[in-house]
Amino acid sequence: MMRMKTKPTAATFKGGGEPVAREWELRPGGMLVQKRNPDSDQITIPPAPTIRVKVKHGSIYHQININSQATFGELKKMLTGPTGLHHKDQKLIYKDKERDSNVFLDMVGVKDKSKMVLIEDPISQEKRLMEMRKNAKMEKASKSISEISFEVDRLAGQVSAYESIISKGGKVNEKDVVNLIELLMNQLLKLDGIMADGDVKLQRKMQVRRVQKYVETLDMLKIKNSMPNNNGGGEMDMQSEDKHSNGQKVAPIQERRYNQQQQQSSAADGVVVTTKWETFDSFPALVRVPSTSTSTANNSIPPPKFPWEFFD
């Protein structure tokens, strides 16, 4: 918007008779008009009046000063102090009708010096008390889970210590491992006895899985701890068995076991199989030697005689 200031072309006189210059502005259409005061365009809304209402609670009247455009819920909060009732336990009756907390006073015709009745709502009070008990129960469950988590952290340190010792080949007292498992199982029983919903239930589930994992780890460590440790003596036995007394290597243990089984099975069939072989550095020339036992056997046995008959 283009604005243009000019000298006063017309004058208005104040009370003292002094002329006052006017400012002009050029509109987009080319029209020259007097400049408007922006403060004059603002619409000032007067504040809502404050009214005084009378509220009867039992045999006592309470006078409350409140904005006429306030809600019944705001009026209930203001009545909490004088009546001692929670604002959710109140019922406001105006013109023989219960009014909702979100309804505005002026919308239903509440004016200055209007009268209404306040009664206690037992259903709302019971709901509020149940909600309070539920919240208190959740807080108690959350606190119990936190205490169990702290105790599990302490026991987890012992699990890590035992795992480090056994993994390095050391030994721990089996009774200590069993006692640690029992302590973790006790914490697991405590977690099972906690009833919770929502986020607290999720926390309990996470702690249960954590304790179960530690118990499984201890079970594996218990088995490993009970196994004999043959790291030192076993190697010496293997070295002594791998070499013969004369310095020659013999067959491994598995091969010897297999040969023993073969010997037993052959002996059962009437055949003896030996696996010890004798080796010689050099072999002489093979010379065929006639078998004397065969010749003597042939000489001692007479030729067979058959009764042959001859015909002309």
Side-chain angles (χ1 to χ4, degrees):
M1 180 182 293
M2 298 178 61
R3 296 180 179 178
M4 181 177 63
K5 295 182 180 180
T6 60
K7 294 182 180 181
T9 57
T12 57
F13 295 92
K14 291 185 178 180
E18 296 179 358
V20 178
R22 294 181 179 178
E23 294 182 357
W24 301 86
E25 62 181 357
L26 185 63
R27 292 294 180 88
M31 182 180 296
L32 188 64
V33 297
Q34 184 179 356
K35 183 179 179 181
R36 294 175 296 179
N37 188 4
D39 296 335
S40 63
D41 295 337
Q42 296 179 357
I43 301 175
T44 57
I45 300 175
T50 300
I51 59 176
R52 183 176 57 182
V53 296
K54 290 184 177 182
V55 181
K56 181 181 180 182
H57 177 228
S59 59
I60 302 174
Y61 285 90
H62 302 280
Q63 292 186 359
I64 305 296
N65 296 326
I66 190 172
N67 192 320
S68 61
Q69 296 180 355
T71 61
F72 280 89
E74 295 176 0
L75 179 59
K76 290 178 181 180
K77 292 180 180 179
M78 296 179 68
L79 290 169
T80 301
T83 60
L85 295 176
H86 196 272
H87 64 92
K88 292 184 178 180
D89 301 341
Q90 300 176 11
K91 271 186 178 183
L92 284 176
I93 309 297
Y94 179 68
K95 293 184 178 179
D96 298 333
K97 186 177 180 180
E98 181 185 357
R99 303 297 176 174
D100 190 78
S101 297
N102 298 324
V103 177
F104 292 92
L105 298 176
D106 58 347
M107 296 297 294
V108 294
V110 178
K111 299 178 181 180
D112 189 29
K113 297 182 180 180
S114 295
K115 296 180 181 180
M116 54 187 71
V117 179
L118 172 65
I119 60 176
E120 185 177 359
D121 187 5
I123 298 177
S124 300
Q125 184 179 12
E126 185 177 358
K127 289 181 179 180
R128 186 176 61 85
L129 293 177
M130 290 178 64
E131 188 70 19
M132 291 176 61
R133 293 192 191 101
K134 184 178 179 180
N135 294 336
K137 188 177 180 180
M138 290 298 103
E139 291 179 0
K140 183 178 179 180
S142 179
K143 184 178 179 181
S144 300
I145 293 175
S146 299
E147 294 177 353
I148 293 173
S149 177
F150 179 77
E151 182 66 18
V152 172
D153 290 340
R154 187 182 67 82
L155 298 176
Q158 299 182 19
V159 175
S160 300
Y162 290 163
E163 187 175 7
S164 177
I165 294 172
I166 296 175
S167 62
K168 293 179 181 178
K171 295 290 184 179
V172 297
N173 190 359
E174 185 177 355
K175 186 176 181 181
D176 295 338
V177 179
V178 173
N179 291 336
L180 186 56
I181 293 175
E182 291 179 356
L183 292 175
L184 288 170
M185 292 301 295
N186 291 335
Q187 301 302 321
L188 191 61
L189 293 175
K190 292 180 181 180
L191 289 171
D192 292 338
I194 297 176
M195 303 300 295
D197 295 327
D199 296 338
V200 181
K201 184 177 181 180
L202 182 60
Q203 294 177 6
R204 182 182 68 86
K205 189 174 182 180
M206 292 175 61
Q207 293 298 325
V208 168
R209 291 180 178 178
R210 184 184 176 198
V211 174
Q212 289 175 350
K213 182 179 178 180
Y214 289 143
V215 171
E216 292 175 359
T217 302
L218 288 174
D219 289 337
M220 297 299 295
L221 293 176
K222 182 180 177 182
I223 296 174
K224 190 174 181 180
N225 186 60
S226 62
M227 296 176 63
N229 190 1
N230 296 326
N231 294 333
E235 294 180 357
M236 297 299 294
D237 295 339
M238 291 295 295
Q239 291 178 0
S240 61
E241 291 178 359
D242 286 344
K243 292 186 178 181
H244 198 263
S245 59
N246 58 0
Q248 297 180 352
K249 293 184 178 180
V250 297
I253 296 176
Q254 295 181 356
E255 185 176 353
R256 283 183 289 174
R257 289 179 180 176
Y258 175 76
N259 292 333
Q260 292 176 2
Q261 292 177 0
Q262 292 292 332
Q263 291 178 6
Q264 293 176 1
S265 61
S266 300
D269 296 337
V271 180
V272 178
V273 180
T274 61
T275 57
K276 295 182 179 180
W277 301 92
E278 296 181 0
T279 58
F280 301 91
D281 296 336
S282 62
F283 292 92
L286 296 177
V287 179
R288 185 174 182 181
V289 180
S291 177
T292 57
S293 61
T294 305
S295 60
T296 55
N298 292 333
N299 295 329
S300 61
I301 299 174
K305 294 181 179 182
F306 300 97
W308 299 101
E309 294 181 1
F310 297 95
F311 298 94
D312 296 334

